[in-house]
Amino acid sequence: MTNDPTWRMPEVPAFSLTSPDFAEGERLPDWARSGIAGAGGDDRSPALEWSGAPEGTQSYVVTMYDPDAPTGSGWWHWTVYNLPASTTSLAANAGDPEAGLLPEGAVTVANELRLERFLGAAPPSGHGEHRYVFAVSALDVPSIEAPEGATPALVGFILRDHIIGRALLTGIQSTD
């Protein structure tokens, strides 16, 4: 059985999510691997572009999740919420807070290593191919409230009541 990261999420209309840095089901760039976690990369988030969000979209949440991590709960690499509805793309390296590439008001949640930034792909040695699922969730509210120290899973729970559309893009990485 393949772990589907959206199987318990509300069914909503899909819209388009692409990247000039990789195609659906293709290998992520090596610079999108994690240097912080020792996987030989630069922890740079790829550029993302989306279109066709449902009418009524007032904000977005962007995440990157590895459903194949050997944890029983997957691995959250990146979560950003309160992206304004006017946002239709994020530049490469927007996940680095020092780069200053996120729109004003966007909030980055700590990843599994408790760092408020993009953490690149880092599949364990000998574990084969991992999927890295980028999701852009369109919400029917201009912002959501999450408590200080919220986890990506809590943000996912909060957005359930407001999601009106979802776009997915999956990249692959492995150590084999």
Side-chain angles (χ1 to χ4, degrees):
M1 180 171 101
T2 301
N3 184 7
D4 177 352
T6 63
W7 77 279
R8 287 204 169 222
M9 297 298 290
E11 288 189 34
V12 292
F15 57 100
S16 175
L17 175 60
T18 60
S19 175
D21 298 321
F22 70 100
E24 172 65 31
E26 297 296 322
R27 185 177 171 90
L28 289 172
D30 285 341
W31 46 258
R33 294 176 66 86
S34 182
I36 294 168
D42 299 324
D43 292 289
R44 288 180 31 216
S45 55
L48 300 173
E49 302 168 351
W50 56 92
S51 62
E55 188 172 325
T57 297
Q58 295 186 46
S59 67
Y60 295 101
V61 175
V62 173
T63 60
M64 184 179 109
Y65 174 73
D66 174 1
D68 302 316
T71 64
S73 61
W75 191 273
W76 291 98
H77 288 258
W78 192 30
T79 301
V80 180
Y81 67 92
N82 291 350
L83 293 162
S86 60
T87 307
T88 58
S89 65
L90 292 177
N93 205 32
D96 180 353
E98 293 182 17
L101 297 172
L102 290 175
E104 187 175 331
V107 179
T108 302
V109 174
N111 56 40
E112 298 288 351
L113 294 184
R114 306 309 301 151
L115 303 172
E116 292 178 358
R117 59 160 297 123
F118 176 85
L119 180 69
S125 181
H127 203 255
E129 210 170 68
H130 280 226
R131 295 169 293 152
Y132 294 88
V133 180
F134 290 85
V136 177
S137 299
L139 307 184
D140 65 359
V141 292
S143 64
I144 57 173
E145 296 292 325
E148 181 81 23
T151 63
L154 179 57
V155 170
F157 183 76
I158 293 167
L159 73 80
R160 288 179 57 84
D161 291 337
H162 301 289
I163 189 168
I164 58 173
R166 180 184 304 110
L168 300 174
L169 177 64
T170 302
I172 305 296
Q173 270 289 353
S174 69
T175 55
D176 302 333

